[in-house]
């Protein structure tokens, strides 16, 4: 297949590399070209503009930071978009932006598949993301070759837009876990304890999770190489809370998580892994 990948950041770059390695003809574009250029050595063609990237492709895959960036890239590509192409929107952009993208796709004559993913950089590199897909049934066969490369499994969850809602539900859980891990480690340290005692105490029991052990050890070791940054986690926390307002529910933990992430950003940790929200508990 001919695939344009718009956005080659922490997620887009490994996704594009895996698609090229699988034999697809991949063109990539990124607003900061330097982030896309290493993909030339992995079999992709680096384009100077979204329009150049999408010309003649079967699939356009957007993996950008937010809804505005996605809209801008597709609008910039509009003059060259093939009318029989499928637009796979894999960025986490929230409910309102997804509705806008569905309308934009319709106005451009594009087929649209809403397909945010679960997983961070390591599963993206390994092609083991979980793809949450929604869209017309007749599009499944056309886009599955893409999903088979980038993901370990694909969940189809209904009409376009449903998977973006599910992604926010999953993100609300991850935000809660991350905040809880940071607070537990902070409390252990403030109490004069070795925080590894906490991880050992819950290890193997009903309260344990692989995520707890992974993020807990990262915090203890102050190892914050970004798999998903604090700044992006804050963006997602705001989207979760926006969805809560739309749905008329009160999400106290999500609101607190957003506040913690914002404090960590203001303390200068925005570009570190989201586990660095731990610093929100420190002076």
């Amino acid at each position: 297949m001919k695939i344009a990948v718009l956005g080659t950041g922490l997620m887009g770059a490994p996704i594009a590399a895996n698609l090229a390695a699988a034999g697809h003809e991949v063109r990539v574009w990124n607003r900061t070209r330097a982030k896309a250029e290493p993909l030339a050595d992995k079999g992709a063609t680096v384009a100077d503009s979204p329009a150049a990237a999408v010309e003649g492709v079967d699939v356009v895959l957007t993996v950008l930071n937010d809804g505005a960036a996605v809209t801008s890239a597709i609008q910039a590509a509009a003059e060259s978009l093939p009318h029989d192409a499928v637009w796979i929107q894999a960025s986490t952009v929230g409910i309102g932006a997804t509705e806008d993208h569905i309308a934009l796709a319709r106005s451009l004559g594009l087929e649209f598949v809403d397909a945010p993913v679960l997983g961070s950089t390591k599963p993206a590199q390994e092609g083991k993301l979980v793809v949450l897909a929604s869209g017309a049934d007749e599009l499944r066969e056309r886009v599955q070759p893409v999903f088979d490369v980038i993901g370990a499994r694909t969940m189809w969850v209904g009409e376009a837009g449903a998977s973006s809602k599910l992604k926010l539900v999953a993100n609300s859980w991850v935000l809660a876990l991350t905040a809880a891990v940071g607070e537990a480690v902070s409390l252990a340290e403030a109490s004069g304890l070795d925080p590894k005692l906490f991880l050992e105490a819950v290890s193997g029991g009903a309260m344990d999770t692989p995520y707890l052990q992974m993020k807990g050890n990262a915090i203890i070791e102050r190892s914050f190489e970004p798999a998903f940054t604090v700044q992006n986690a804050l963006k997602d926390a705001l989207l979760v809370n926006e969805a809560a307002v739309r749905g008329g529910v009160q999400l106290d933990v999500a609101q607190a998580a957003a506040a913690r992430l914002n404090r960590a950003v203001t303390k200068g940790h925005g570009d570190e892994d989201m586990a660095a929200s731990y610093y929100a508990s420190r002076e």
Side-chain angles (χ1 to χ4, degrees):
M1 298 174 72
K2 295 180 180 179
I3 303 170
V5 179
L6 306 183
T8 58
L10 287 175
M11 299 294 286
I15 284 173
N18 287 338
L19 289 168
H24 296 291
E25 183 180 324
V26 178
R27 290 194 215 124
V28 296
W29 169 85
N30 196 72
R31 184 177 58 181
T32 305
R33 184 185 170 95
K35 290 185 177 180
E37 286 177 344
L39 290 163
D41 294 332
K42 299 184 178 182
T45 300
V46 181
D48 289 325
S49 67
V54 305
E55 192 168 352
V57 299
D58 304 301
V59 169
V60 179
L61 177 62
T62 46
V63 196
L64 292 153
N65 186 62
D66 55 33
V70 172
T71 298
S72 176
I74 292 297
Q75 288 176 334
E79 64 185 36
S80 299
L81 281 166
H83 291 298
D84 57 349
V86 180
W87 172 14
I88 300 175
Q89 208 306 94
S91 321
T92 301
V93 299
I95 297 172
T98 298
E99 292 172 348
D100 291 342
H101 294 152
I102 292 170
L104 178 59
R106 189 179 300 116
S107 72
L108 295 172
L110 294 173
E111 301 286 1
F112 184 84
V113 175
D114 178 29
V117 297
L118 298 181
S120 55
T121 52
K122 189 172 186 290
Q125 291 163 356
E126 296 173 346
K128 294 182 179 178
L129 296 165
V130 176
V131 180
L132 306 178
S134 56
D137 289 347
E138 58 268 24
L139 297 176
R140 294 189 182 190
E141 193 172 318
R142 291 178 63 184
V143 298
Q144 196 60 50
V146 175
F147 296 157
D148 287 344
V149 171
I150 71 175
R153 63 189 176 100
T154 303
M155 283 182 61
W156 285 91
V157 295
E159 295 183 356
S163 46
S164 277
K165 294 176 182 177
L166 180 57
K167 176 64 189 292
L168 295 181
V169 173
N171 278 8
S172 73
W173 177 238
V174 171
L175 292 165
L177 285 175
T178 305
V181 175
E183 291 194 350
V185 171
S186 294
L187 182 59
E189 291 175 343
S191 301
L193 295 171
D194 179 349
K196 284 187 176 292
L197 292 172
F198 159 60
L199 298 181
E200 183 180 347
V202 301
S203 179
M207 293 189 295
D208 195 17
T209 69
Y211 189 87
L212 164 61
Q213 296 294 331
M214 177 177 65
K215 294 301 185 185
N217 279 300
I219 293 169
I220 292 166
E221 295 164 10
R222 306 296 193 263
S223 175
F224 297 118
E225 182 70 22
F228 192 73
T229 67
V230 173
Q231 186 68 60
N232 279 329
L234 174 58
K235 180 263 296 183
D236 285 2
L238 296 175
L239 293 175
V240 168
N241 283 297
E242 178 186 286
V245 171
R246 278 175 167 257
V249 293
Q250 179 75 31
L251 300 186
D252 298 319
V253 175
Q255 289 180 8
R260 284 180 57 81
L261 291 160
N262 189 59
R263 287 202 304 277
V265 169
T266 60
K267 288 174 179 285
H269 300 284
D271 292 332
E272 297 175 349
D273 186 76
M274 65 186 295
S277 59
Y278 152 86
Y279 288 110
S281 295
R282 312 300 295 180
E283 291 296 334

